[in-house]
Amino acid sequence: KSIWKQYNMLFAFLAQFCYVGAQVTVASFFLNYATENAPYTAASASDLLSYALITFTVSRFIATALATVLAPEFIMICYVSLAIAFNCYVVAGHGPSAVAVLIAIFFTEAPMYPTIFALGTSNLGRHTRRGAGILVMGVGGGAVFPPIQGAIADAAGTRISYVTPLVGFVYVLGYVFF
């Protein structure tokens, strides 16, 4: 079949696009969220962002260990479901607890990129190299989502703008689930 008839790869590209867009927006608007919705200064919010990135790194190792005993689809369903639940709380919540949950989203993001990539390139046969290149182009979501979230943040506030990554996580769950 043609590369353009490899539907799993095409849907994986969209999942990668949505995931990277969601990941970039979660991190890009972290400081604004922490200073607008909780009693943090810019300096303390910056420290919290550092902790969030450390959380992401630790989670990548945990997810890699889990992948040796659990199916990647199961890991993704668990992690993405948690990301969606946490993201809903971030949109609705206020205060330090909402910022803590925002940090928890970083934990849930860690296995998504490599797992979507692996799922999207499986069973491509002679199209594996080209399919991998197409999936890598999914990082373009990181350029598309932030302006959308920024426009929503300007119109309705940073807290409400976190609906943008929520949409991305919902698509990722749909891809992995179906």
Side-chain angles (χ1 to χ4, degrees), residues 22-57:
Q23 179 189 17
V24 169
T25 57
V26 165
S28 296
F29 289 83
F30 184 94
L31 297 177
N32 292 10
Y33 186 89
T35 56
E36 292 174 18
N37 294 300
Y40 295 115
T41 64
S44 61
S46 179
D47 290 341
L48 291 173
L49 179 57
S50 297
Y51 301 142
L53 295 171
I54 291 168
T55 301
F56 178 89
T57 304

PDB file of all heavy atoms in Angstrom, residues 22-57:
ATOM      1  N   ALA A  22       0.383  20.137  23.058  1.00  0.00           N
ATOM      2  CA  ALA A  22      -0.062  20.162  24.450  1.00  0.00           C
ATOM      3  C   ALA A  22       1.129  20.299  25.397  1.00  0.00           C
ATOM      4  O   ALA A  22       1.096  21.096  26.347  1.00  0.00           O
ATOM      5  CB  ALA A  22      -0.853  18.897  24.774  1.00  0.00           C
ATOM      6  N   GLN A  23       2.190  19.552  25.150  1.00  0.00           N
ATOM      7  CA  GLN A  23       3.362  19.611  26.020  1.00  0.00           C
ATOM      8  C   GLN A  23       3.972  21.008  26.029  1.00  0.00           C
ATOM      9  O   GLN A  23       4.304  21.541  27.089  1.00  0.00           O
ATOM     10  CB  GLN A  23       4.417  18.601  25.571  1.00  0.00           C
ATOM     11  CG  GLN A  23       5.664  18.638  26.431  1.00  0.00           C
ATOM     12  CD  GLN A  23       6.800  17.796  25.879  1.00  0.00           C
ATOM     13  OE1 GLN A  23       6.806  17.420  24.714  1.00  0.00           O
ATOM     14  NE2 GLN A  23       7.767  17.509  26.721  1.00  0.00           N
ATOM     15  N   VAL A  24       4.103  21.605  24.869  1.00  0.00           N
ATOM     16  CA  VAL A  24       4.713  22.929  24.785  1.00  0.00           C
ATOM     17  C   VAL A  24       3.841  23.968  25.473  1.00  0.00           C
ATOM     18  O   VAL A  24       4.341  24.832  26.197  1.00  0.00           O
ATOM     19  CB  VAL A  24       4.997  23.302  23.308  1.00  0.00           C
ATOM     20  CG1 VAL A  24       5.370  24.761  23.167  1.00  0.00           C
ATOM     21  CG2 VAL A  24       6.103  22.408  22.752  1.00  0.00           C
ATOM     22  N   THR A  25       2.531  23.880  25.313  1.00  0.00           N
ATOM     23  CA  THR A  25       1.664  24.876  25.952  1.00  0.00           C
ATOM     24  C   THR A  25       1.616  24.703  27.464  1.00  0.00           C
ATOM     25  O   THR A  25       1.564  25.698  28.188  1.00  0.00           O
ATOM     26  CB  THR A  25       0.237  24.854  25.377  1.00  0.00           C
ATOM     27  OG1 THR A  25      -0.308  23.547  25.518  1.00  0.00           O
ATOM     28  CG2 THR A  25       0.213  25.263  23.924  1.00  0.00           C
ATOM     29  N   VAL A  26       1.634  23.473  27.935  1.00  0.00           N
ATOM     30  CA  VAL A  26       1.641  23.252  29.386  1.00  0.00           C
ATOM     31  C   VAL A  26       2.858  23.928  30.006  1.00  0.00           C
ATOM     32  O   VAL A  26       2.758  24.613  31.030  1.00  0.00           O
ATOM     33  CB  VAL A  26       1.608  21.739  29.719  1.00  0.00           C
ATOM     34  CG1 VAL A  26       1.985  21.478  31.168  1.00  0.00           C
ATOM     35  CG2 VAL A  26       0.222  21.168  29.432  1.00  0.00           C
ATOM     36  N   ALA A  27       4.008  23.772  29.365  1.00  0.00           N
ATOM     37  CA  ALA A  27       5.232  24.369  29.904  1.00  0.00           C
ATOM     38  C   ALA A  27       5.303  25.870  29.650  1.00  0.00           C
ATOM     39  O   ALA A  27       5.727  26.627  30.526  1.00  0.00           O
ATOM     40  CB  ALA A  27       6.446  23.681  29.300  1.00  0.00           C
ATOM     41  N   SER A  28       4.883  26.309  28.474  1.00  0.00           N
ATOM     42  CA  SER A  28       5.008  27.724  28.105  1.00  0.00           C
ATOM     43  C   SER A  28       4.182  28.656  28.984  1.00  0.00           C
ATOM     44  O   SER A  28       4.585  29.775  29.254  1.00  0.00           O
ATOM     45  CB  SER A  28       4.596  27.936  26.650  1.00  0.00           C
ATOM     46  OG  SER A  28       5.461  27.263  25.785  1.00  0.00           O
ATOM     47  N   PHE A  29       3.026  28.182  29.403  1.00  0.00           N
ATOM     48  CA  PHE A  29       2.135  29.033  30.183  1.00  0.00           C
ATOM     49  C   PHE A  29       2.197  28.745  31.680  1.00  0.00           C
ATOM     50  O   PHE A  29       1.393  29.259  32.453  1.00  0.00           O
ATOM     51  CB  PHE A  29       0.696  28.898  29.647  1.00  0.00           C
ATOM     52  CG  PHE A  29       0.530  29.545  28.303  1.00  0.00           C
ATOM     53  CD1 PHE A  29       0.876  28.881  27.148  1.00  0.00           C
ATOM     54  CD2 PHE A  29       0.052  30.841  28.201  1.00  0.00           C
ATOM     55  CE1 PHE A  29       0.751  29.486  25.901  1.00  0.00           C
ATOM     56  CE2 PHE A  29      -0.084  31.460  26.974  1.00  0.00           C
ATOM     57  CZ  PHE A  29       0.269  30.782  25.817  1.00  0.00           C
ATOM     58  N   PHE A  30       3.161  27.909  32.083  1.00  0.00           N
ATOM     59  CA  PHE A  30       3.293  27.528  33.487  1.00  0.00           C
ATOM     60  C   PHE A  30       3.501  28.745  34.387  1.00  0.00           C
ATOM     61  O   PHE A  30       2.824  28.891  35.409  1.00  0.00           O
ATOM     62  CB  PHE A  30       4.455  26.543  33.657  1.00  0.00           C
ATOM     63  CG  PHE A  30       4.615  26.026  35.054  1.00  0.00           C
ATOM     64  CD1 PHE A  30       4.018  24.843  35.423  1.00  0.00           C
ATOM     65  CD2 PHE A  30       5.345  26.718  36.008  1.00  0.00           C
ATOM     66  CE1 PHE A  30       4.142  24.349  36.718  1.00  0.00           C
ATOM     67  CE2 PHE A  30       5.483  26.250  37.296  1.00  0.00           C
ATOM     68  CZ  PHE A  30       4.877  25.060  37.657  1.00  0.00           C
ATOM     69  N   LEU A  31       4.440  29.598  34.029  1.00  0.00           N
ATOM     70  CA  LEU A  31       4.746  30.764  34.880  1.00  0.00           C
ATOM     71  C   LEU A  31       3.546  31.686  35.003  1.00  0.00           C
ATOM     72  O   LEU A  31       3.235  32.177  36.096  1.00  0.00           O
ATOM     73  CB  LEU A  31       5.961  31.522  34.342  1.00  0.00           C
ATOM     74  CG  LEU A  31       7.274  30.751  34.333  1.00  0.00           C
ATOM     75  CD1 LEU A  31       8.379  31.592  33.702  1.00  0.00           C
ATOM     76  CD2 LEU A  31       7.663  30.314  35.726  1.00  0.00           C
ATOM     77  N   ASN A  32       2.868  31.923  33.895  1.00  0.00           N
ATOM     78  CA  ASN A  32       1.667  32.774  33.942  1.00  0.00           C
ATOM     79  C   ASN A  32       0.603  32.156  34.845  1.00  0.00           C
ATOM     80  O   ASN A  32      -0.022  32.852  35.644  1.00  0.00           O
ATOM     81  CB  ASN A  32       1.096  32.978  32.543  1.00  0.00           C
ATOM     82  CG  ASN A  32       1.987  33.792  31.656  1.00  0.00           C
ATOM     83  OD1 ASN A  32       3.133  34.069  31.996  1.00  0.00           O
ATOM     84  ND2 ASN A  32       1.482  34.172  30.502  1.00  0.00           N
ATOM     85  N   TYR A  33       0.415  30.843  34.704  1.00  0.00           N
ATOM     86  CA  TYR A  33      -0.599  30.163  35.514  1.00  0.00           C
ATOM     87  C   TYR A  33      -0.259  30.274  37.000  1.00  0.00           C
ATOM     88  O   TYR A  33      -1.110  30.607  37.826  1.00  0.00           O
ATOM     89  CB  TYR A  33      -0.703  28.691  35.106  1.00  0.00           C
ATOM     90  CG  TYR A  33      -1.828  27.964  35.800  1.00  0.00           C
ATOM     91  CD1 TYR A  33      -3.095  27.932  35.248  1.00  0.00           C
ATOM     92  CD2 TYR A  33      -1.621  27.305  37.010  1.00  0.00           C
ATOM     93  CE1 TYR A  33      -4.135  27.271  35.884  1.00  0.00           C
ATOM     94  CE2 TYR A  33      -2.645  26.648  37.654  1.00  0.00           C
ATOM     95  CZ  TYR A  33      -3.908  26.627  37.086  1.00  0.00           C
ATOM     96  OH  TYR A  33      -4.930  25.976  37.725  1.00  0.00           O
ATOM     97  N   ALA A  34       0.996  29.984  37.335  1.00  0.00           N
ATOM     98  CA  ALA A  34       1.401  29.969  38.743  1.00  0.00           C
ATOM     99  C   ALA A  34       1.325  31.355  39.379  1.00  0.00           C
ATOM    100  O   ALA A  34       0.990  31.477  40.557  1.00  0.00           O
ATOM    101  CB  ALA A  34       2.814  29.405  38.878  1.00  0.00           C
ATOM    102  N   THR A  35       1.607  32.398  38.612  1.00  0.00           N
ATOM    103  CA  THR A  35       1.570  33.747  39.188  1.00  0.00           C
ATOM    104  C   THR A  35       0.174  34.343  39.193  1.00  0.00           C
ATOM    105  O   THR A  35      -0.141  35.160  40.063  1.00  0.00           O
ATOM    106  CB  THR A  35       2.539  34.693  38.446  1.00  0.00           C
ATOM    107  OG1 THR A  35       2.216  34.707  37.059  1.00  0.00           O
ATOM    108  CG2 THR A  35       3.976  34.261  38.652  1.00  0.00           C
ATOM    109  N   GLU A  36      -0.681  33.931  38.266  1.00  0.00           N
ATOM    110  CA  GLU A  36      -2.045  34.474  38.200  1.00  0.00           C
ATOM    111  C   GLU A  36      -3.031  33.729  39.099  1.00  0.00           C
ATOM    112  O   GLU A  36      -3.995  34.315  39.574  1.00  0.00           O
ATOM    113  CB  GLU A  36      -2.575  34.434  36.765  1.00  0.00           C
ATOM    114  CG  GLU A  36      -1.885  35.377  35.824  1.00  0.00           C
ATOM    115  CD  GLU A  36      -2.353  35.201  34.380  1.00  0.00           C
ATOM    116  OE1 GLU A  36      -3.433  34.611  34.163  1.00  0.00           O
ATOM    117  OE2 GLU A  36      -1.625  35.646  33.479  1.00  0.00           O
ATOM    118  N   ASN A  37      -2.816  32.433  39.300  1.00  0.00           N
ATOM    119  CA  ASN A  37      -3.807  31.609  39.993  1.00  0.00           C
ATOM    120  C   ASN A  37      -3.352  31.104  41.352  1.00  0.00           C
ATOM    121  O   ASN A  37      -4.064  30.338  41.991  1.00  0.00           O
ATOM    122  CB  ASN A  37      -4.196  30.420  39.114  1.00  0.00           C
ATOM    123  CG  ASN A  37      -4.919  30.874  37.876  1.00  0.00           C
ATOM    124  OD1 ASN A  37      -5.959  31.489  37.963  1.00  0.00           O
ATOM    125  ND2 ASN A  37      -4.341  30.608  36.724  1.00  0.00           N
ATOM    126  N   ALA A  38      -2.170  31.498  41.767  1.00  0.00           N
ATOM    127  CA  ALA A  38      -1.649  31.073  43.065  1.00  0.00           C
ATOM    128  C   ALA A  38      -0.754  32.191  43.588  1.00  0.00           C
ATOM    129  O   ALA A  38      -0.321  33.046  42.821  1.00  0.00           O
ATOM    130  CB  ALA A  38      -0.869  29.767  42.919  1.00  0.00           C
ATOM    131  N   PRO A  39      -0.457  32.171  44.857  1.00  0.00           N
ATOM    132  CA  PRO A  39       0.329  33.268  45.442  1.00  0.00           C
ATOM    133  C   PRO A  39       1.835  33.123  45.237  1.00  0.00           C
ATOM    134  O   PRO A  39       2.614  33.240  46.181  1.00  0.00           O
ATOM    135  CB  PRO A  39      -0.040  33.190  46.922  1.00  0.00           C
ATOM    136  CG  PRO A  39      -0.289  31.738  47.154  1.00  0.00           C
ATOM    137  CD  PRO A  39      -0.936  31.241  45.883  1.00  0.00           C
ATOM    138  N   TYR A  40       2.259  32.845  44.004  1.00  0.00           N
ATOM    139  CA  TYR A  40       3.675  32.669  43.728  1.00  0.00           C
ATOM    140  C   TYR A  40       4.231  33.891  43.005  1.00  0.00           C
ATOM    141  O   TYR A  40       3.569  34.462  42.136  1.00  0.00           O
ATOM    142  CB  TYR A  40       3.915  31.424  42.868  1.00  0.00           C
ATOM    143  CG  TYR A  40       3.561  30.140  43.565  1.00  0.00           C
ATOM    144  CD1 TYR A  40       2.527  29.341  43.110  1.00  0.00           C
ATOM    145  CD2 TYR A  40       4.271  29.716  44.683  1.00  0.00           C
ATOM    146  CE1 TYR A  40       2.195  28.157  43.741  1.00  0.00           C
ATOM    147  CE2 TYR A  40       3.949  28.537  45.330  1.00  0.00           C
ATOM    148  CZ  TYR A  40       2.909  27.765  44.849  1.00  0.00           C
ATOM    149  OH  TYR A  40       2.585  26.597  45.486  1.00  0.00           O
ATOM    150  N   THR A  41       5.450  34.237  43.349  1.00  0.00           N
ATOM    151  CA  THR A  41       6.152  35.280  42.606  1.00  0.00           C
ATOM    152  C   THR A  41       6.727  34.641  41.339  1.00  0.00           C
ATOM    153  O   THR A  41       6.764  33.404  41.215  1.00  0.00           O
ATOM    154  CB  THR A  41       7.309  35.861  43.436  1.00  0.00           C
ATOM    155  OG1 THR A  41       8.272  34.817  43.670  1.00  0.00           O
ATOM    156  CG2 THR A  41       6.812  36.437  44.761  1.00  0.00           C
ATOM    157  N   ALA A  42       7.206  35.458  40.433  1.00  0.00           N
ATOM    158  CA  ALA A  42       7.804  34.927  39.207  1.00  0.00           C
ATOM    159  C   ALA A  42       9.020  34.052  39.533  1.00  0.00           C
ATOM    160  O   ALA A  42       9.236  33.014  38.894  1.00  0.00           O
ATOM    161  CB  ALA A  42       8.195  36.064  38.280  1.00  0.00           C
ATOM    162  N   ALA A  43       9.792  34.444  40.522  1.00  0.00           N
ATOM    163  CA  ALA A  43      10.986  33.672  40.893  1.00  0.00           C
ATOM    164  C   ALA A  43      10.607  32.306  41.472  1.00  0.00           C
ATOM    165  O   ALA A  43      11.199  31.283  41.107  1.00  0.00           O
ATOM    166  CB  ALA A  43      11.835  34.448  41.895  1.00  0.00           C
ATOM    167  N   SER A  44       9.632  32.277  42.355  1.00  0.00           N
ATOM    168  CA  SER A  44       9.238  30.990  42.941  1.00  0.00           C
ATOM    169  C   SER A  44       8.529  30.117  41.903  1.00  0.00           C
ATOM    170  O   SER A  44       8.685  28.891  41.907  1.00  0.00           O
ATOM    171  CB  SER A  44       8.382  31.188  44.187  1.00  0.00           C
ATOM    172  OG  SER A  44       7.203  31.886  43.884  1.00  0.00           O
ATOM    173  N   ALA A  45       7.776  30.742  41.008  1.00  0.00           N
ATOM    174  CA  ALA A  45       7.131  29.975  39.937  1.00  0.00           C
ATOM    175  C   ALA A  45       8.186  29.373  39.013  1.00  0.00           C
ATOM    176  O   ALA A  45       8.029  28.240  38.532  1.00  0.00           O
ATOM    177  CB  ALA A  45       6.172  30.865  39.159  1.00  0.00           C
ATOM    178  N   SER A  46       9.265  30.108  38.785  1.00  0.00           N
ATOM    179  CA  SER A  46      10.359  29.597  37.961  1.00  0.00           C
ATOM    180  C   SER A  46      11.011  28.380  38.623  1.00  0.00           C
ATOM    181  O   SER A  46      11.346  27.403  37.945  1.00  0.00           O
ATOM    182  CB  SER A  46      11.388  30.700  37.734  1.00  0.00           C
ATOM    183  OG  SER A  46      12.454  30.230  36.979  1.00  0.00           O
ATOM    184  N   ASP A  47      11.170  28.430  39.939  1.00  0.00           N
ATOM    185  CA  ASP A  47      11.702  27.271  40.660  1.00  0.00           C
ATOM    186  C   ASP A  47      10.764  26.071  40.514  1.00  0.00           C
ATOM    187  O   ASP A  47      11.216  24.941  40.309  1.00  0.00           O
ATOM    188  CB  ASP A  47      11.886  27.597  42.139  1.00  0.00           C
ATOM    189  CG  ASP A  47      13.022  28.576  42.392  1.00  0.00           C
ATOM    190  OD1 ASP A  47      13.889  28.735  41.505  1.00  0.00           O
ATOM    191  OD2 ASP A  47      13.024  29.196  43.481  1.00  0.00           O
ATOM    192  N   LEU A  48       9.466  26.324  40.609  1.00  0.00           N
ATOM    193  CA  LEU A  48       8.490  25.239  40.465  1.00  0.00           C
ATOM    194  C   LEU A  48       8.544  24.624  39.068  1.00  0.00           C
ATOM    195  O   LEU A  48       8.387  23.410  38.911  1.00  0.00           O
ATOM    196  CB  LEU A  48       7.082  25.738  40.775  1.00  0.00           C
ATOM    197  CG  LEU A  48       6.807  26.095  42.232  1.00  0.00           C
ATOM    198  CD1 LEU A  48       5.438  26.748  42.380  1.00  0.00           C
ATOM    199  CD2 LEU A  48       6.913  24.860  43.115  1.00  0.00           C
ATOM    200  N   LEU A  49       8.763  25.459  38.053  1.00  0.00           N
ATOM    201  CA  LEU A  49       8.897  24.933  36.695  1.00  0.00           C
ATOM    202  C   LEU A  49      10.112  24.013  36.599  1.00  0.00           C
ATOM    203  O   LEU A  49      10.054  22.975  35.933  1.00  0.00           O
ATOM    204  CB  LEU A  49       8.989  26.064  35.680  1.00  0.00           C
ATOM    205  CG  LEU A  49       9.161  25.655  34.215  1.00  0.00           C
ATOM    206  CD1 LEU A  49       8.022  24.745  33.759  1.00  0.00           C
ATOM    207  CD2 LEU A  49       9.254  26.886  33.327  1.00  0.00           C
ATOM    208  N   SER A  50      11.187  24.364  37.281  1.00  0.00           N
ATOM    209  CA  SER A  50      12.364  23.485  37.305  1.00  0.00           C
ATOM    210  C   SER A  50      12.012  22.136  37.927  1.00  0.00           C
ATOM    211  O   SER A  50      12.420  21.080  37.426  1.00  0.00           O
ATOM    212  CB  SER A  50      13.504  24.132  38.089  1.00  0.00           C
ATOM    213  OG  SER A  50      13.929  25.309  37.471  1.00  0.00           O
ATOM    214  N   TYR A  51      11.257  22.159  39.013  1.00  0.00           N
ATOM    215  CA  TYR A  51      10.833  20.909  39.643  1.00  0.00           C
ATOM    216  C   TYR A  51       9.928  20.106  38.714  1.00  0.00           C
ATOM    217  O   TYR A  51       9.989  18.875  38.678  1.00  0.00           O
ATOM    218  CB  TYR A  51      10.122  21.176  40.972  1.00  0.00           C
ATOM    219  CG  TYR A  51      10.969  21.924  41.973  1.00  0.00           C
ATOM    220  CD1 TYR A  51      10.407  22.880  42.801  1.00  0.00           C
ATOM    221  CD2 TYR A  51      12.339  21.699  42.093  1.00  0.00           C
ATOM    222  CE1 TYR A  51      11.176  23.590  43.719  1.00  0.00           C
ATOM    223  CE2 TYR A  51      13.114  22.396  43.003  1.00  0.00           C
ATOM    224  CZ  TYR A  51      12.522  23.341  43.812  1.00  0.00           C
ATOM    225  OH  TYR A  51      13.281  24.033  44.715  1.00  0.00           O
ATOM    226  N   ALA A  52       9.085  20.808  37.961  1.00  0.00           N
ATOM    227  CA  ALA A  52       8.201  20.125  37.014  1.00  0.00           C
ATOM    228  C   ALA A  52       9.011  19.414  35.935  1.00  0.00           C
ATOM    229  O   ALA A  52       8.697  18.278  35.556  1.00  0.00           O
ATOM    230  CB  ALA A  52       7.227  21.121  36.386  1.00  0.00           C
ATOM    231  N   LEU A  53      10.055  20.057  35.460  1.00  0.00           N
ATOM    232  CA  LEU A  53      10.901  19.436  34.440  1.00  0.00           C
ATOM    233  C   LEU A  53      11.685  18.254  34.994  1.00  0.00           C
ATOM    234  O   LEU A  53      11.911  17.256  34.295  1.00  0.00           O
ATOM    235  CB  LEU A  53      11.825  20.485  33.824  1.00  0.00           C
ATOM    236  CG  LEU A  53      11.087  21.577  33.035  1.00  0.00           C
ATOM    237  CD1 LEU A  53      12.035  22.696  32.650  1.00  0.00           C
ATOM    238  CD2 LEU A  53      10.388  21.001  31.827  1.00  0.00           C
ATOM    239  N   ILE A  54      12.077  18.337  36.251  1.00  0.00           N
ATOM    240  CA  ILE A  54      12.719  17.191  36.909  1.00  0.00           C
ATOM    241  C   ILE A  54      11.714  16.048  37.023  1.00  0.00           C
ATOM    242  O   ILE A  54      12.052  14.876  36.783  1.00  0.00           O
ATOM    243  CB  ILE A  54      13.277  17.592  38.291  1.00  0.00           C
ATOM    244  CG1 ILE A  54      14.457  18.543  38.116  1.00  0.00           C
ATOM    245  CG2 ILE A  54      13.685  16.360  39.103  1.00  0.00           C
ATOM    246  CD1 ILE A  54      14.899  19.234  39.397  1.00  0.00           C
ATOM    247  N   THR A  55      10.476  16.379  37.355  1.00  0.00           N
ATOM    248  CA  THR A  55       9.407  15.381  37.435  1.00  0.00           C
ATOM    249  C   THR A  55       9.234  14.670  36.095  1.00  0.00           C
ATOM    250  O   THR A  55       9.085  13.450  36.038  1.00  0.00           O
ATOM    251  CB  THR A  55       8.084  16.054  37.857  1.00  0.00           C
ATOM    252  OG1 THR A  55       8.274  16.684  39.116  1.00  0.00           O
ATOM    253  CG2 THR A  55       6.951  15.067  37.941  1.00  0.00           C
ATOM    254  N   PHE A  56       9.259  15.438  35.005  1.00  0.00           N
ATOM    255  CA  PHE A  56       9.159  14.871  33.663  1.00  0.00           C
ATOM    256  C   PHE A  56      10.283  13.863  33.426  1.00  0.00           C
ATOM    257  O   PHE A  56      10.055  12.748  32.950  1.00  0.00           O
ATOM    258  CB  PHE A  56       9.217  15.998  32.623  1.00  0.00           C
ATOM    259  CG  PHE A  56       9.176  15.522  31.203  1.00  0.00           C
ATOM    260  CD1 PHE A  56       7.971  15.343  30.553  1.00  0.00           C
ATOM    261  CD2 PHE A  56      10.352  15.258  30.508  1.00  0.00           C
ATOM    262  CE1 PHE A  56       7.936  14.905  29.235  1.00  0.00           C
ATOM    263  CE2 PHE A  56      10.322  14.816  29.198  1.00  0.00           C
ATOM    264  CZ  PHE A  56       9.107  14.638  28.556  1.00  0.00           C
ATOM    265  N   THR A  57      11.499  14.239  33.772  1.00  0.00           N
ATOM    266  CA  THR A  57      12.659  13.380  33.547  1.00  0.00           C
ATOM    267  C   THR A  57      12.560  12.085  34.350  1.00  0.00           C
ATOM    268  O   THR A  57      12.798  10.995  33.822  1.00  0.00           O
ATOM    269  CB  THR A  57      13.957  14.129  33.901  1.00  0.00           C
ATOM    270  OG1 THR A  57      14.003  15.336  33.140  1.00  0.00           O
ATOM    271  CG2 THR A  57      15.178  13.291  33.621  1.00  0.00           C
TER     272      THR A  57
END
